[in-house]
Every structure is written in structure tokens, then in C-alpha cells.
Amino acid sequence: MEKAALFWSGGKDCAFALHTVIKEKKYQVETLVTTLNRQFRRISMHGVREEMLDKQAEALQIPILKMWVGDIPTNENYEIELIKTYKQLKSQGIDVIIFGDIFLQDLRLYREKLLSEAGLKGYFPLWKRDTGELIKDILAHGFRTVTCCINTAYLDKSWEGRELNKTFIDGLPPGVDPCGENGEFHTFCFDGPIFNQPIKFKKGKEKYSPLVIKDVITERETGFWFVDILEDE
């Protein structure tokens, strides 16, 4: 099998992408790659602590390569760190990078452009899956996740820190993707067939981070609710 690395955010989509790749037996995932905020030592966008990422790696028994970026990195700075990471992976004999993207075409084209420049190939095992069916498949395979970040342009605070299940999915407002592929919500995966044991956690404080620019349609302020995912012995 070809050696591969998988971009890992800690959420359900990358977890199910890893599960899919393992079942396909086409690629050997040698390492996971996670982007973290250097200042707060948390997973970018998800806001999950580095130590909880380490707990996931321990339960997966797969090493994680941590890519550090600034608090609000420019696209240029992000690409500089990404290319460094790609070069490091390439030096380790890895030629394939796996992503859990589902249908964001512009994002895929952007990823493939940078991969090509680094002499790497991309693989998207969940690409063009119907997200309504995909989330059912994720749940049916025993994956358990909770929301760790909510985008208030789509959902209110009551959706924060909730476990994804049938009740959660059935209750989503119209226009909200059931996998949150448009950035409606992000998740922390704590159990599933790829883990050798469930990750014990508890929910800590909640924090609201407003966006600088108001929503141009509704004229209301939007932002993100984060819940702190803490280790629980």
C-alpha cells in the first residue's frame, strides 16, 4: 500500500474518512496532520485543546504531525507553513494526502493546486457523498461526536456541546447541511470503530467570539460559540 497522511481536525468527517481508507486498504495512513493555533494551542476553527488532540492520537494509535499557525494567519503565512509540512511528509516517503472534504469544489481545487506544487497527490474518500445519507452512515458505524463550535449565522447557542444523533440531525433548521459542510458547526469525535477506547471528556466553559463584520443580509452580528472540551478521568 502507498504511504499516506490524513488531515485531521478531530471531527466526524476526517474520522469517517480515516475509517473509509482503512476499510479500502488502498493507502497506509502513516500520520495525521493537524493545524493548531500557536498562541492558544488549540485546533484551528474547532477550538479543541492540544491535549484532547493527543488523546485522540493515543486512542487511534497513529502519530500526529502538528502544523502551527498564528492566531489569525494570513493566507500567505498559512501556505508557507503548509508547504513546509508537505516537504516534511514528502521526505518521509509519503506521496498521498487524504482529506475529509465532501462537496466544496473551490476548496478541493485549492488543495490540489498546492499538492501539485509539492509533488503530492490528493485523495478525497467522501467526495460527493450525499451528506444526508453520509451522516446516517457515520452514526450507523458507531461514531460519536459532540459539537465544539457553532456558527451563529446558521445556529443558535442551544446547539453547542450537543451530541450528534438522529434527534440532532432531524431538528436542524432548513438550509443547514447535516454534516455542517458549509461551516455551520464543527465537532469533536470521541468514540468509534477506529478508536481503541472511547475518549473521556467533560464540557467546560463556553465562549462567544464575534465576527468583525456583520452579516450583510440580516445586518445582525454573527460569530462562533465554542465549548471547551476537557479531559475527564
Side-chain angles (χ1 to χ4, degrees):
M1 290 189 286
E2 283 188 85
K3 292 182 178 180
L6 184 144
F7 266 64
W8 178 267
S9 66
K12 62 182 177 12
D13 297 337
C14 63
F16 199 67
L18 176 59
H19 174 74
T20 302
V21 170
I22 292 171
K23 290 293 184 181
E24 290 175 341
K25 297 181 180 178
K26 184 178 180 180
Y27 299 110
Q28 175 65 41
V29 178
E30 296 287 319
T31 185
L32 307 175
V33 181
T34 303
T35 306
L36 294 106
N37 179 291
R38 187 180 293 108
Q39 180 180 357
F40 298 105
R41 305 191 76 84
R42 293 175 183 263
I43 299 174
S44 294
M45 292 304 299
H46 289 227
V48 173
R49 292 169 178 260
E50 180 187 8
E51 51 263 40
M52 298 308 297
L53 170 65
D54 292 338
K55 287 290 182 182
Q56 288 181 320
E58 181 181 340
L60 290 167
Q61 296 184 312
I62 302 176
I64 288 187
L65 174 60
K66 299 171 182 177
M67 188 179 94
W68 298 95
V69 297
D71 186 17
I72 307 178
T74 64
N75 196 55
E76 181 181 3
N77 289 337
Y78 171 79
E79 289 184 6
I80 289 172
E81 295 304 319
L82 184 62
I83 293 301
K84 287 180 183 177
T85 300
Y86 282 165
K87 287 181 178 178
Q88 182 175 343
L89 293 170
K90 187 76 174 174
S91 71
Q92 296 171 0
I94 290 171
D95 293 312
V96 179
I97 310 297
I98 302 166
F99 298 95
D101 301 320
I102 306 170
F103 61 67
L104 299 178
Q105 185 67 38
D106 289 347
L107 178 58
R108 175 166 178 165
L109 291 173
Y110 173 72
R111 293 199 196 282
E112 289 179 331
K113 174 181 178 293
L114 295 177
L115 286 168
S116 177
E117 291 175 2
L120 295 165
K121 297 181 293 183
Y123 181 54
F124 301 77
L126 308 184
W127 190 248
K128 294 299 183 181
R129 289 281 305 270
D130 177 273
T131 51
E133 293 304 314
L134 178 59
I135 190 62
K136 292 177 184 177
D137 206 9
I138 291 171
L139 296 177
H141 277 83
F143 284 91
R144 299 185 66 190
T145 64
V146 293
T147 55
C148 54
C149 174
I150 293 295
N151 186 335
T152 63
Y154 300 95
L155 299 168
D156 62 39
K157 182 177 180 290
S158 67
W159 294 87
E160 180 62 287
R162 288 177 54 181
E163 182 170 352
L164 269 69
N165 51 29
K166 188 177 186 299
T167 300
F168 180 100
I169 302 304
D170 290 346
L172 287 172
V176 174
D177 185 80
C179 283
E181 180 69 353
N182 297 305
E184 296 97 328
F185 58 88
H186 298 294
T187 58
F188 173 76
C189 187
F190 63 92
D191 197 10
I194 56 176
F195 296 103
N196 62 14
Q197 60 185 14
I199 298 165
K200 296 180 180 179
F201 73 97
K202 59 185 178 183
K203 289 177 279 189
K205 293 181 179 179
E206 296 174 329
K207 179 183 178 181
Y208 178 68
S209 295
L211 289 176
V212 176
I213 303 174
K214 290 185 178 181
D215 186 282
V216 293
I217 298 176
T218 64
E219 288 297 317
R220 65 185 177 87
E221 181 187 84
T222 61
F224 300 92
W225 274 106
F226 295 90
V227 62
D228 207 3
I229 305 293
L230 303 171
E231 184 176 352
D232 186 12
E233 297 298 337

